[in-house]
């Protein structure tokens, strides 16, 4: 292959002729690459993508921890008040404490977009982990609801950044063949964080002093101790380096991410040309650009698929153990059910990976969402049985387990793939930030509403929440059917062209891009 590229001071770009040849070869290589071939050729890219996604485990652990503490006897006794012979945490305080994570997701996500573009993905991630390390001290030493609230709000501001960094980084260091799996791995990190929160609280709930809840808070430092030393070797995003004109640095990073069998200059040519195309199409790189021209449709898709997670009922997971406890299960069985709840979610996410590779995004997302609608409505109908006998309580709890399996088989993991692929590369961090902030804003609403809907001293809706979330999910299903396109098997440049040409949603998968599109 006769191609030459000069790097004058690390800022030069390939010649037009070299770009044309390299682009054709690189695109053909990407389309022919299978999942297992990509795994063999890009082991380092997979490893670093997984490493940076560890921050999401901390993001998911914190709200899950709080949801379990509300059902923990020692926490209830130390921080709650007597109601009908039992200690409970009041709904206003539950709302205030639980607001830390979603509020942080809104503010932290929007803030993250700026340092990610100015300083890069790597150093923004490092700064967030360092701040998390310090803020955990507030939670660990809290002995009053006021201090714990301060720790949750401050910690939430930083935790919100991880939801933006992880999918953006994963989509920019991996080839197309494994992009879907590694971006959806972010969902597995959410499940791992939630599962750890449930499991650890189930193990410490029997302790008779403050260590029952102090140990779970302290274990957040475990991830910080793993991540901080590894930051010295984390490669920066090659797409960010190209946007900064650091072509030589981008090429060096690509060599670290791929095996020696990969022609790195082909990959670099694709990144350079895609960036050039987006400048030509005036994609922009600011928050305002996310809502201008063709980017508006792309941002709508990202916001929509992310918000659907909340509207379908995912915030009930944070209250899973508490919900099961109020539904009539003994405390120990409620904790066990909460762990099983997330274990099936873990299994569902893993099973989703071959489905994403085989069937793409749109089919899995829409089919899974339809199943969730039906199951929520069935849970609501069961709650209408007079007297709510024990077998109904167990049936509802079992259906929630199955619901979570289908959630983590479909809209849970596929969402992170879609938001990473639907956004233009120049505004990816900000587009994901907007979607994350929108999801967080809805999360704030649910965080306020759910304690009042499920607490025994408030609405005490129990399983009738299925009608509420089933109805909202049905509306989301109609929207997704008409608006969520198939992005499987498309390079970022091809996706730019599909959106620029305003290809109808249901024609995305079969649309043929003519060669002159390059």
């Amino acid at each position: 292959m006769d191609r030459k590229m000069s790097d004058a001071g690390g800022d030069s770009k390939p010649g037009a002729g070299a770009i044309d040849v390299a682009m054709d070869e690189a695109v053909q290589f990407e389309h022919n690459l299978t999942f297992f071939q990509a795994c063999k050729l890009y082991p380092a890219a997979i490893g670093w993508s997984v490493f940076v996604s560890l921050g999401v485990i901390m993001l998911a652990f914190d709200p899950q921890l709080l949801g379990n503490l509300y059902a923990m006897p020692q926490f209830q006794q130390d921080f709650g008040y007597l109601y009908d012979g039992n200690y409970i945490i009041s709904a206003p305080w539950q709302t205030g404490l639980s607001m830390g994570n979603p509020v942080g997701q809104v503010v932290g996500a929007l803030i993250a977009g700026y340092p990610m573009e100015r300083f890069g993905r790597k150093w923004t991630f490092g700064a967030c982990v360092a701040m998390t390390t310090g803020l955990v001290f507030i939670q660990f030493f809290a002995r009053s609801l006021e201090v714990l609230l301060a720790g949750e709000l401050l910690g939430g501001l930083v935790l919100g950044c991880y939801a933006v960094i992880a999918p953006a980084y994963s989509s920019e260091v991996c080839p197309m063949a494994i992009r879907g799996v590694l971006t959806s791995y972010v969902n597995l990190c959410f499940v791992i964080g939630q599962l750890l929160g449930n499991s650890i609280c189930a193990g410490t709930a029997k302790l008779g002093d403050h260590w029952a809840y102090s140990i779970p808070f302290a274990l957040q430092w475990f991830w910080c101790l793993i991540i901080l030393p590894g930051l010295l070797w984390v490669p920066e995003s090659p797409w960010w380096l190209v946007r900064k004109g650091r072509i030589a640095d981008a090429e060096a990073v690509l060599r670290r991410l791929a095996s020696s069998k990969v022609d790195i200059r082909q990959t670099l040519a694709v990144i350079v040309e895609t960036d050039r195309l987006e400048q030509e199409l005036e994609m922009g790189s600011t928050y305002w650009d996310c809502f201008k021209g063709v980017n508006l449709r792309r941002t709508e898709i990202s916001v929509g698929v992310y918000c659907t997670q909340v509207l379908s009922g995912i915030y009930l997971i944070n209250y899973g153990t508490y919900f099961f406890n109020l539904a009539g299960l003994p405390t120990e069985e409620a904790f066990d059910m909460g762990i099983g709840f997330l274990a099936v979610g873990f299994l569902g996410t893993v099973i989703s990976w071959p489905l994403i590779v085989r069937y793409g995004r749109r089919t899995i997302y829409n089919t899974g969402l339809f199943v969730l609608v039906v199951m929520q409505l069935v849970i609501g109908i069961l709650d209408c049985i007079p007297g709510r006998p024990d077998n109904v309580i167990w049936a509802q709890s079992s259906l929630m387990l199955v619901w979570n399996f289908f959630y983590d088989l479909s809209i849970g993991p596929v969402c992170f793939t879609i938001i990473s692929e639907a956004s233009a590369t120049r505004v990816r961090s900000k587009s994901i930030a907007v979607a994350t902030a929108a999801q967080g804003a809805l999360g704030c609403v649910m965080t306020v509403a759910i304690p009042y809907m499920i607490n025994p001293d408030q609405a005490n809706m129990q399983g009738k929440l299925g009608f509420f979330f089933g109805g909202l999910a049905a509306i989301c299903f109609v929207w997704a059917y008409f608006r969520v396109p198939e992005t499987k098997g498309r390079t970022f440049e091809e996706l730019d062209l599909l959106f620029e040409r305003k290809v109808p949603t249901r024609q995305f998968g079969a649309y043929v891009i003519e060669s002159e599109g390059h």
Side-chain angles (χ1 to χ4, degrees), residues 490 494-503 508 511:
R490 300 290 190 179
E494 289 171 336
L495 289 170
D496 287 342
L497 293 171
L498 288 170
F499 281 109
E500 178 64 24
R501 296 177 185 180
K502 297 180 173 60
V503 176
F508 251 64
Y511 189 86

Side-chain angles (χ1 to χ4, degrees), residues 337-354:
M337 184 65 78
I339 294 172
F341 194 64
L342 293 163
V344 298
F346 185 99
L347 179 63
T349 302
V350 174
I351 294 176
S352 76
W353 294 342

Side-chain angles (χ1 to χ4, degrees), residues 212-245:
Y213 48 85
S214 293
I215 289 176
F217 282 128
L219 288 176
Q220 293 178 93
W221 283 315
F222 172 77
W223 300 105
C224 299
L225 292 174
I226 290 178
I227 295 172
L228 287 174
L231 281 170
L232 296 173
W233 294 277
V234 172
E236 184 53 84
S237 162
W239 290 83
W240 180 80
L241 291 170
V242 166
R243 285 197 294 277
K244 295 300 179 181

Side-chain angles (χ1 to χ4, degrees), residues 34-44 46 178 258-259 261-262:
T34 68
F35 176 80
F36 291 108
Q37 288 172 339
C39 290
K40 292 180 180 179
L41 293 174
Y42 295 88
I46 295 172
I178 54 177
S259 73
K261 297 179 181 179
V262 178

Side-chain angles (χ1 to χ4, degrees), residues 66 70 90-103 145 148-150 152-153 319 447-448 451:
L66 278 176
Y70 301 147
S90 67
W93 271 112
Q94 283 190 37
T95 298
L97 290 170
S98 300
M99 284 290 280
N101 196 271
V103 167
L145 289 172
L148 184 57
L149 175 61
E152 287 298 322
L153 287 172
Y319 293 86
T447 300
V448 172

